[in-house]
Amino acid sequence: MVLYQLDDPGPLDAPVLVAAFDGWIDAGGASTTAADRIAEDGRVVATFDGDKLYDYRARRPTLDIIDGSLLDLDWPELHLRATTIGDRDLLVLSGPEPDYRWRELASDVAALAGDLGVVRWISMGAIPAAVAHTRPITILGTASAPGLLPPDIAQGPAGHLRVPSAALSVLELTASRAGLPAIGFYAQVPHYVSGPSAAAAIELLGRLGRHLDVEFPLGSLPSEAREQRALLDAAVDADERTRTYVTRLEEMTDEERLPAGDDLIADIERFLRERGTEGRGQT
């Protein structure tokens, strides 16, 4: 038994599958915000079994109560939606990161992609990084084979990196091993920023749009990005230690260099320790 229920997707012409999960690699909600913008007017073509994928104690459904009466429940859901932007057919897989059955889900999604004639897999994510909010968002890429990424996207980080995996990465790797060309776009979000990052969502949409030769509607994202930038600027200006730290990040960006891994970890830990709990809440 597969983990999804498939509806008639209608005619699809060489669709590209774009995937983003709310969870481990979705800093500032940037990738799922971008996915929601892409699939905003799309139709659901596959619904996945939430009872088998989610731990409802960790990701509880939202309950609406009106005047003391239980009215409705909003359950976490994973959907595959189909949309057309310009001349490009897209399938968008998005929702909360599943808790269970990752390998089974990856196998089902890879088979479903084959059945629907998908020609390319694109993951979108966002990761906290030692970067300044005053500089342009940087996108790092992954690729299942050389030459798949656009020339302006760096594949990396370089060398052997061993980290706890996200469900999205399990699906991307399974899709690529099934023969589907797969790439990933990952926005670097300032690690000291809490809350949404409209700027990172805009950058993901822009890079993905240029790669696919389409233009995605941004809606209210530009105004949200301006408001968030103003709040961050005010918070940084109000705290001297934060201002000094952001200046150091700006200098590293301008010099196109990053600190060594151990130095970076120590620097971030020292920054958070010096700011204390109250300081962390300000940004």
Side-chain angles (χ1 to χ4, degrees), residues 1-5 49 52 104 108:
M1 297 293 292
V2 295
L3 292 172
Y4 62 85
Q5 179 179 336
D49 190 341
K52 295 178 180 178
E104 186 179 351
D108 281 359

Side-chain angles (χ1 to χ4, degrees), residues 40-105:
E40 184 176 33
D41 297 323
R43 63 190 185 281
V44 174
V45 299
T47 301
F48 292 81
D49 190 341
D51 285 349
K52 295 178 180 178
L53 294 177
Y54 293 115
D55 178 357
Y56 293 134
R57 292 171 299 177
R59 216 180 267 279
R60 294 180 182 273
T62 303
L63 173 64
D64 289 329
I65 305 174
I66 304 296
D67 296 330
S69 297
L70 307 187
L71 183 65
D72 198 13
L73 283 166
D74 185 16
W75 295 87
E77 295 181 336
L78 178 62
H79 292 303
L80 182 69
R81 291 173 285 181
T83 189
T84 301
I85 309 291
D87 296 327
R88 175 74 68 177
D89 282 345
L90 299 171
L91 294 167
V92 181
L93 178 67
S94 64
E97 181 182 50
D99 298 298
Y100 305 124
R101 301 197 179 195
W102 285 13
R103 286 182 287 191
E104 186 179 351
L105 175 64

Side-chain angles (χ1 to χ4, degrees), residues 177-201:
R177 287 178 172 174
L180 191 62
I183 64 174
F185 292 133
Y186 297 91
Q188 293 188 299
V189 178
H191 71 86
Y192 56 85
V193 175
S194 63
S197 178

Side-chain angles (χ1 to χ4, degrees), residues 270-281:
R270 182 171 58 253
F271 167 74
L272 295 176
R273 184 171 59 250
E274 290 176 351
R275 292 187 64 205
T277 303
E278 181 178 356
R280 286 196 298 272

Side-chain angles (χ1 to χ4, degrees), residues 4 15 45 63 65 152 155 184 189 215 225 239 242 248 260:
Y4 62 85
V45 299
L63 173 64
I65 305 174
D152 60 338
Q155 185 171 338
V189 178
E215 185 173 351
D239 185 89
T242 304
R248 179 172 182 267

Side-chain angles (χ1 to χ4, degrees), residues 5 24 97 138 177 190 262-263:
Q5 179 179 336
W24 182 242
E97 181 182 50
T138 299
R177 287 178 172 174
D262 291 343
D263 292 341

